[in-house]
């Protein structure tokens, strides 16, 4: 499918009828549309999304979503008409004419006024392939009448209205046969926001990625078919003659439906809170930037942390002072090092002398006791007195030879054993650790003092600037914003908790429904149909498991291949894992060494390449042929990555690629020369101060080196 033409009529800057005709792409698939900022590049891109999806465009375009969610869709519709046309309509149309058109519609006499009261966007597609509906072209036109406050969509197939489009409605027709809204953001995107395509920081982001995955890879239609078959089986049981079982089942189904509604409400609220949180955090960042510009970059929490740090540093300062005071008690002793050493030597000598003397005295006592016992024993022996006396004298002479004389040297210092040991411990501490410990302590004290003084000065400086009225106001507003963020974070946690409880209850109810369904008796005819449906459901379940696994592996290979082909780091990605858990989906990256890669650690350019790889992989897997529109291309890529995007991504992503660069800023002459062999046509958006319009220019004249 390609686009043959696009027509904007009175849409915002584009006054009157403005038609852009596309040349059928051959081997050259790139079309460039450029203009100065404010001329309507982004407006043109948004107009296409509105033409296709109307109110549902909020699910495709983030920037528009903010506007519509804030002011409402009707306000958005009224704001899209060209201002000059609106002014002319207000001048020309009387209240009476307005009233008549609003109540009765247009007459042949007022039909020409539509040029002032209506704006529209029309897209004509060629090379359309719709199963069971042979056709060559489809024209979709969405318009809005400011008088009747009415939005209309017309679909012409080969120039005529079609029963299928009328029967299912334009929105369903576009969603089913042109481009599903769940995957539209993969074909309409801004390179500034391309990373958002692959952001999975929140539950809603993961659900959106999973939804796109299921839709793009053809999983959704099989899941819908399975669900329809399950509903058929339930209808059989609802009309069963088993009244008791039927009533029990009905109550369970009603509870299931109620839970489903609550879960959907929870999802919507969660997505809304996440969007609000994102907006609040962006606003908070803006306030922080303003404070930085005013020389006040510290946040309230940072100031609180700074005050806590200073308090801790002050406590440490006192502790260091106390420790140093204890060290100073030993300083005099440490200073008289030589005298201290002499004292230690004297104490050791005196201690040895006393120990030796004590040992001698003990031995002599033992000898004396032995001698006394021997002499006593001699007196008791039956021998002559003279002989006994001789033996006694002999024993005493022998003992006298071996009995030691106790040293008569006096000791200078007399300490008890405990005092001696205490002194030696102090001496060891002073001589071995005092110097190093004292040096370490003084160094720690000095460093702590420096940090304390530095942070004290910083806090003092902050406090002095806090008196500035502008900073006061910014600080107050930022504090209010931070309170809102904190409250929203709490709300989000509560929604997640509620979601878990609801899901758990839903699982329980679904289990009871399944069990009861087996027990409810059916009529013979319905029982046969039910069995067929059950068999198909089983086969579909088996098929879906196999399909999801196959698509999962295929997607992993494609993402890895594209990433490695686009990145200048050869074989940087060793493995890609697609993780699917129910309605959640995430993509994990690993190095060649199988080390997990935190996607937040990637540079902005690498994150864009990652998102680009997902985009291309999904599009390739889907087999969908639809033009790709890219606003602000190449803005975040470096030169090496930009060249690869031009030569390897744009030529392969789609048969028709429409780029909206800002000349010389988002597309350099060097990059244009690389792209030129692939360019089909080039257009400029001109502005004559009243409105914008399209002008085709030769490829060679589009940008000059």
């Amino acid at each position: 499918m390609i686009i043959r033409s696009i027509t904007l009529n009175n849409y915002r800057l584009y006054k009157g009828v403005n038609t852009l005709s596309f040349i059928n792409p051959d081997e050259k698939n790139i079309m460039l549309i450029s203009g100065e900022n404010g001329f309507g590049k982004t407006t043109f891109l948004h107009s296409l999304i509105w033409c296709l999806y109307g109110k549902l465009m909020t699910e495709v375009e983030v920037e528009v979503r903010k506007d519509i969610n804030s002011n409402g869709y009707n306000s958005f519709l009224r704001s899209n008409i060209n201002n000059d046309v609106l002014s002319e309509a207000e001048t020309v149309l009387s209240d009476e004419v307005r009233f008549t058109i609003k109540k009765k519609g247009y007459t042949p006499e007022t039909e020409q006024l539509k040029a002032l009261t209506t704006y529209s966007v029309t897209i004509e597609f060629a090379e359309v392939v719709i199963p069971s509906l042979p056709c060559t072209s489809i024209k979709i036109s969405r318009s809005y009448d400011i008088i009747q406050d009415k939005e209309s969509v017309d679909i012409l197939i080969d120039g005529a209205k079609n029963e299928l489009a009328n029967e299912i409605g334009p929105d369903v027709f576009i969603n089913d046969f042109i481009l599903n809204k769940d995957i539209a953001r993969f074909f309409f995107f801004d390179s500034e926001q391309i990373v958002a395509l692959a952001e999975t920081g929140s539950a809603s982001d993961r659900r959106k990625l999973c939804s796109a995955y299921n839709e793009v890879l053809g999983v959704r239609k099989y899941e819908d078919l399975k669900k329809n078959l399950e509903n058929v089986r339930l209808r059989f049981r609802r009309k069963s003659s088993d009244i008791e079982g039927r009533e029990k089942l009905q109550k369970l189904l009603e509870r299931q439906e109620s839970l489903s509604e609550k879960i959907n409400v929870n999802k919507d609220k969660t997505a809304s809170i996440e969007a609000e949180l994102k907006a609040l955090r962006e606003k908070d960042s803006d306030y922080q930037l303003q404070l930085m510009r005013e020389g006040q970059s510290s946040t309230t929490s940072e100031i609180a942390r700074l005050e806590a740090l200073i308090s801790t540093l002050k406590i440490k300062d006192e502790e260091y002072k106390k420790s140093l005071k204890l060290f100073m008690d030993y300083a005099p002793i440490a200073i008289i090092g030589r005298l201290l050493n002499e004292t230690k030597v004297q104490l050791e000598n005196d201690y040895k002398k006393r120990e030796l003397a004590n040992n001698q005295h003990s031995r002599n006592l033992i000898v004396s006791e032995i001698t006394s016992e021997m002499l006593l024993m001699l007196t008791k022996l039956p021998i002559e007195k003279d002989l006994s006396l001789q033996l006694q004298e002999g024993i005493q002479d022998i003992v006298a030879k071996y009995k030691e004389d106790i040293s008569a040297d006096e000791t200078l210092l007399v300490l008890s054993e405990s005092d001696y040991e205490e002194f030696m411990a102090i001496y060891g501490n002073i001589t071995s650790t005092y110097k190093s410990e004292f040096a370490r302590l003084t160094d720690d004290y000095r460093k702590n003092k420096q940090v304390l003084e530095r942070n004290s000065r910083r806090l003092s400086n902050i406090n002095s600037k806090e008196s500035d009225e502008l900073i006061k106001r910014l600080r107050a507003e930022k504090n209010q914003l931070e309170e809102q963020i904190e409250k929203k974070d709490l709300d989000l946690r509560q929604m997640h908790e509620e979601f878990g409880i609801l899901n758990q209850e839903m699982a329980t109810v679904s289990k009871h429904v399944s069990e009861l369904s087996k027990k409810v008796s059916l009529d013979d005819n319905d029982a046969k149909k039910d069995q067929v449906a059950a068999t198909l459901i089983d086969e579909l379940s088996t098929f879906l498991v196999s399909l999801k696994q196959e698509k999962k592996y295929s997607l992993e290979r494609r993402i890895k291949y594209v990433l490695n082909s686009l990145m200048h780091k050869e074989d940087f990605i060793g493995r890609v894992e697609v993780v699917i858990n129910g309605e959640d989906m995430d993509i994990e990256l690993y190095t060649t060494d199988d080390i997990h890669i935190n996607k937040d650690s990637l540079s902005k350019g690498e994150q864009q390449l990652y998102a680009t790889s997902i985009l291309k992989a999904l599009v390739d897997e889907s087999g969908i042929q639809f033009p790709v529109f890219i606003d602000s291309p190449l803005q975040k890529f470096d030169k090496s990555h930009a060249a690869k995007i031009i030569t390897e991504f744009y030529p392969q992503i789609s048969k028709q690629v429409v780029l909206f660069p800002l000349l010389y800023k988002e597309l350099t002459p060097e990059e244009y020369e690389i792209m030129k062999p692939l360019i089909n046509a080039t257009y400029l958006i001109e502005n004559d101060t009243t409105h914008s319009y399209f002008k085709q220019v030769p490829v060679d004249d589009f940008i000059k080196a």
Side-chain angles (χ1 to χ4, degrees), residues 414-473:
V414 181
L415 296 178
S416 65
E417 186 174 353
S418 61
D419 290 341
Y420 175 78
E421 289 177 352
E422 183 180 357
F423 176 85
M424 297 307 290
I426 292 172
Y427 178 85
N429 183 53
I430 291 173
T431 56
S432 63
T433 62
Y434 182 89
K435 187 176 181 181
S436 60
E437 284 295 311
F438 185 76
R440 182 193 61 78
L441 186 61
T442 52
D443 188 57
D444 290 347
Y445 171 73
R446 178 181 56 79
K447 289 178 180 177
N448 186 79
K449 196 77 171 176
Q450 289 175 346
V451 176
L452 175 60
E453 290 174 351
R454 185 169 61 251
N455 284 282
S456 296
R457 286 195 301 271
R458 183 185 172 194
L459 182 61
S460 177
N461 186 47
I462 291 171
N463 290 333
S464 66
K465 290 182 178 179
E466 288 290 320
S467 61
D468 185 274
E469 290 300 321
L470 176 60
I471 290 177
K472 276 186 179 180
R473 180 179 62 80

Side-chain angles (χ1 to χ4, degrees), residues 136-279:
T136 57
S137 68
I138 294 177
K139 183 180 287 187
I140 300 171
S141 181
R142 190 180 294 267
S143 62
Y144 177 74
D145 191 306
I146 61 171
I147 304 297
Q148 295 183 319
D149 189 21
K150 180 182 178 182
E151 183 183 79
S152 303
V153 184
D154 293 316
I155 297 177
L156 300 179
I157 298 177
D158 289 339
K161 292 186 178 292
N162 184 271
E163 291 183 5
L164 175 62
N166 291 333
E167 183 180 343
I168 65 176
D171 291 332
V172 175
F173 180 88
I174 293 169
N175 203 62
D176 288 354
F177 299 112
I178 303 300
L179 186 66
N180 190 288
K181 63 178 173 54
D182 290 332
I183 64 172
R185 64 179 182 148
F186 290 91
F187 295 87
F188 298 92
F189 61 88
D190 185 336
S191 285
E192 286 255 338
Q193 303 168 346
I194 187 174
V195 176
L197 294 174
E199 282 183 345
T200 52
S202 66
S204 62
D205 288 334
R206 292 191 296 272
R207 284 197 295 269
K208 286 176 182 176
L209 184 61
C210 191
S211 178
Y213 168 87
N214 289 335
E215 193 66 52
V216 168
L217 303 182
V219 175
R220 175 68 52 79
K221 59 185 177 184
Y222 297 108
E223 289 182 333
D224 290 344
L225 178 58
K226 180 184 173 185
K227 190 174 181 179
N228 290 337
L229 286 168
E230 289 170 346
N231 290 333
V232 168
R233 295 192 73 195
L234 286 174
R235 283 201 297 271
F236 291 152
R237 283 152 179 78
R238 280 172 167 164
K239 65 177 185 175
S240 168
S241 57
D242 183 355
I243 298 173
E244 184 181 355
R246 189 177 68 197
E247 288 177 351
K248 287 182 180 178
L249 182 62
Q250 183 61 33
K251 287 181 180 179
L252 284 172
L253 290 172
E254 287 173 358
R255 180 57 184 160
Q256 195 178 45
E257 187 177 351
S258 174
L259 284 169
S260 181
E261 289 176 359
K262 288 180 179 179
I263 288 172
N264 288 331
V265 169
N266 179 280
K267 288 180 181 178
D268 292 340
K269 286 183 178 178
T270 300
S272 177
I273 293 171
E274 287 173 345
E276 289 173 8
L277 260 175
K278 188 176 181 181

Side-chain angles (χ1 to χ4, degrees), residues 514-567:
S514 179
E515 291 172 350
L516 187 58
S517 295
K518 296 174 183 177
K519 299 176 182 178
V520 176
S521 60
L522 302 176
D523 299 336
D524 290 342
N525 190 36
D526 287 344
K528 291 178 182 177
K529 295 177 181 176
D530 182 71
Q531 186 57 48
V532 173
T535 302
L536 289 172
I537 288 171
D538 289 341
E539 291 177 354
L540 271 172
S541 297
T542 303
F543 172 74
L544 275 168
V545 171
S546 175
L547 177 64
K548 285 181 177 180
Q549 200 70 7
E550 180 187 337
K551 293 293 187 181
K552 174 181 176 301
Y553 291 147
S554 181
L555 188 63
E556 288 170 348
R557 288 194 299 271
R558 286 187 184 274
I559 293 174
K560 177 188 172 183
Y561 173 77
V562 178
L563 259 177
N564 283 328
S565 65
L566 294 179
M567 282 188 169

Side-chain angles (χ1 to χ4, degrees), residues 648-694:
E648 298 186 30
F649 176 68
Y650 291 151
Q652 301 177 28
I653 187 64
S654 175
K655 191 174 181 179
Q656 200 174 48
V657 179
V658 185
L659 306 179
F660 299 82
L662 189 63
L663 296 187
Y664 302 102
K665 292 184 180 179
E666 298 168 355
L667 181 64
T668 66
E670 293 79 15
E671 290 164 348
Y672 185 73
E673 286 300 314
I674 299 172
M675 190 183 295
K676 191 182 286 187
L678 305 169
I679 297 175
N680 184 291
T682 53
Y683 307 84
L684 288 175
I685 301 175
E686 301 283 1
N687 187 279
D688 62 1
T689 71
T690 61
H691 73 285
S692 294
Y693 57 93
F694 303 112

Side-chain angles (χ1 to χ4, degrees), residues 287-538:
Y287 274 116
Q288 184 64 23
L289 185 61
Q290 291 183 64
L291 285 168
M292 289 175 67
R293 288 171 178 167
E294 296 298 324
Q296 178 54 286
S297 60
S298 302
T299 64
T300 303
S301 59
E302 287 172 343
I303 293 173
R305 286 196 296 270
L306 184 60
E307 290 173 340
L309 174 63
I310 290 172
S311 178
T312 303
L313 290 169
K314 285 181 177 178
I315 293 171
K316 282 188 175 181
D317 184 72
E318 292 299 318
E319 290 174 351
Y320 284 134
K321 286 179 179 176
K322 290 179 181 178
S323 298
L324 283 170
K325 187 177 181 303
L326 289 174
F327 264 84
M328 293 307 294
D329 291 342
Y330 295 118
I333 300 175
I335 292 170
I336 54 171
R338 184 179 62 80
L339 293 176
L340 182 64
N341 186 60
E342 290 177 356
T343 301
K344 180 251 187 185
V345 171
Q346 184 64 48
L347 276 174
E348 283 180 332
N349 291 333
D350 289 349
Y351 185 82
K352 288 177 181 177
K353 288 178 182 177
R354 286 200 311 276
E355 194 174 42
L356 179 62
N358 289 334
N359 291 338
Q360 289 172 346
H361 182 70
S362 297
R363 286 194 294 272
N364 289 343
L365 283 175
I366 294 169
V367 172
S368 297
E369 289 176 2
I370 294 171
T371 303
S372 297
E373 289 182 6
M374 290 176 65
L375 293 174
L376 182 61
M377 190 171 36
L378 283 173
T379 59
K380 295 179 179 180
L381 292 173
I383 56 175
E384 294 180 1
K385 187 177 180 181
D386 291 340
L387 180 61
S388 176
L389 290 171
Q390 289 177 5
L391 288 171
Q392 289 179 24
E393 289 175 1
I395 289 171
Q396 287 177 345
D397 290 340
I398 294 169
V399 170
K401 290 179 181 179
Y402 295 98
K403 194 172 183 180
E404 296 178 358
D405 293 331
I406 297 175
S407 176
D409 294 341
E410 294 184 3
T411 56
L412 296 176
L413 300 172
V414 181
L415 296 178
S416 65
E417 186 174 353
S418 61
D419 290 341
Y420 175 78
E421 289 177 352
E422 183 180 357
F423 176 85
M424 297 307 290
I426 292 172
Y427 178 85
N429 183 53
I430 291 173
T431 56
S432 63
T433 62
Y434 182 89
K435 187 176 181 181
S436 60
E437 284 295 311
F438 185 76
R440 182 193 61 78
L441 186 61
T442 52
D443 188 57
D444 290 347
Y445 171 73
R446 178 181 56 79
K447 289 178 180 177
N448 186 79
K449 196 77 171 176
Q450 289 175 346
V451 176
L452 175 60
E453 290 174 351
R454 185 169 61 251
N455 284 282
S456 296
R457 286 195 301 271
R458 183 185 172 194
L459 182 61
S460 177
N461 186 47
I462 291 171
N463 290 333
S464 66
K465 290 182 178 179
E466 288 290 320
S467 61
D468 185 274
E469 290 300 321
L470 176 60
I471 290 177
K472 276 186 179 180
R473 180 179 62 80
L474 291 173
R475 179 73 68 196
E477 292 174 358
K478 191 175 187 300
N479 290 343
Q480 290 179 356
L481 205 61
E482 288 173 350
E483 289 176 3
Q484 294 178 48
I485 291 172
E486 188 176 350
K487 186 179 180 302
K488 289 295 179 183
D489 273 328
L490 179 61
D491 293 342
L492 188 61
R493 286 196 297 273
Q494 290 174 343
M495 294 309 298
H496 287 162
E497 290 173 5
E498 181 186 289
F499 183 78
I501 294 169
L502 289 170
N503 262 346
Q504 189 174 2
E505 189 176 353
M506 175 65 88
T508 302
V509 173
S510 298
K511 184 180 179 182
H512 290 161
V513 168
S514 179
E515 291 172 350
L516 187 58
S517 295
K518 296 174 183 177
K519 299 176 182 178
V520 176
S521 60
L522 302 176
D523 299 336
D524 290 342
N525 190 36
D526 287 344
K528 291 178 182 177
K529 295 177 181 176
D530 182 71
Q531 186 57 48
V532 173
T535 302
L536 289 172
I537 288 171
D538 289 341

